[in-house]
Amino acid sequence: MIENSLKKQNKGLIKLSAIIGYLFLITQLINNLFFHSTHISTIRFPAESNYGNQLIPFQIICCFIIVVVKHSYKIKNERISWIIWLLCLINSVLLFSSDHQYYSLDFLILQLILFISTLVSDLKLNKKRN
């Protein structure tokens, strides 16, 4: 009885983690589309001055791929959660390395920890099922 309630709580936390990660990806995309300008030497998409950055296509593709993969292949929440946090981490590292001072190194480490924790929880749940 207690074990079932813990499983439900864990699944609820994993689902919440996936939702937070997806909202974070969308927030990064909106920020890049409307609130961030780049230096003149940076390749921009679209090519209008002071608008967005070169990662906008990557972010749009990531947001759509997550939704399509989740619905088409019926991937479990545990797996989609660590995929989302991996994409968040990759996107943040690329923004950080492209001279966009969005986040500090501490925040990148926090995202790495979130990715690792969701990956470990997926591995633990799959190990118990086998």
Side-chain angles (χ1 to χ4, degrees):
M1 179 100 169
I2 294 173
E3 190 173 311
N4 287 339
S5 66
L6 285 175
K7 284 182 183 180
K8 286 182 183 179
Q9 282 181 337
N10 285 343
K11 287 187 179 195
L13 286 174
I14 290 169
K15 190 173 186 176
L16 180 66
S17 173
I19 291 170
I20 289 171
Y22 191 71
L23 290 175
F24 181 69
L25 275 176
I26 291 174
T27 303
Q28 284 181 327
L29 175 63
I30 291 171
N31 186 25
N32 287 334
L33 281 171
F34 302 112
F35 302 111
H36 186 74
S37 61
T38 57
H39 300 292
I40 211 70
S41 63
T42 305
I43 300 169
R44 290 182 294 278
F45 179 83
E48 188 177 327
S49 65
N50 295 326
Y51 188 77
N53 66 46
Q54 65 271 17
L55 292 176
I56 290 173
F58 172 73
Q59 292 171 326
I60 292 171
I61 290 168
C62 286
C63 289
F64 282 119
I65 284 177
I66 289 170
V67 173
V68 169
V69 166
K70 173 72 174 148
H71 293 295
S72 297
Y73 296 107
K74 304 293 184 196
I75 293 179
K76 298 182 182 194
N77 287 332
E78 300 89 25
R79 189 137 312 136
I80 203 74
S81 179
W82 70 260
I83 292 170
I84 289 172
W85 282 110
L86 175 64
L87 291 173
C88 288
L89 179 65
I90 290 169
N91 190 34
S92 297
V93 168
L94 288 173
L95 287 170
F96 185 76
S97 66
S98 295
D99 219 14
H100 296 267
Q101 299 301 322
Y102 282 150
Y103 314 111
S104 65
L105 195 55
D106 300 338
F107 191 73
L108 294 177
I109 292 171
L110 177 65
Q111 284 186 343
L112 178 65
I113 291 169
L114 282 167
F115 163 66
I116 291 171
S117 67
T118 54
L119 181 63
V120 167
S121 69
D122 181 30
L123 293 174
K124 278 185 180 180
L125 287 173
N126 284 331
K127 186 177 181 181
K128 288 180 183 178
R129 289 181 189 151
N130 294 333

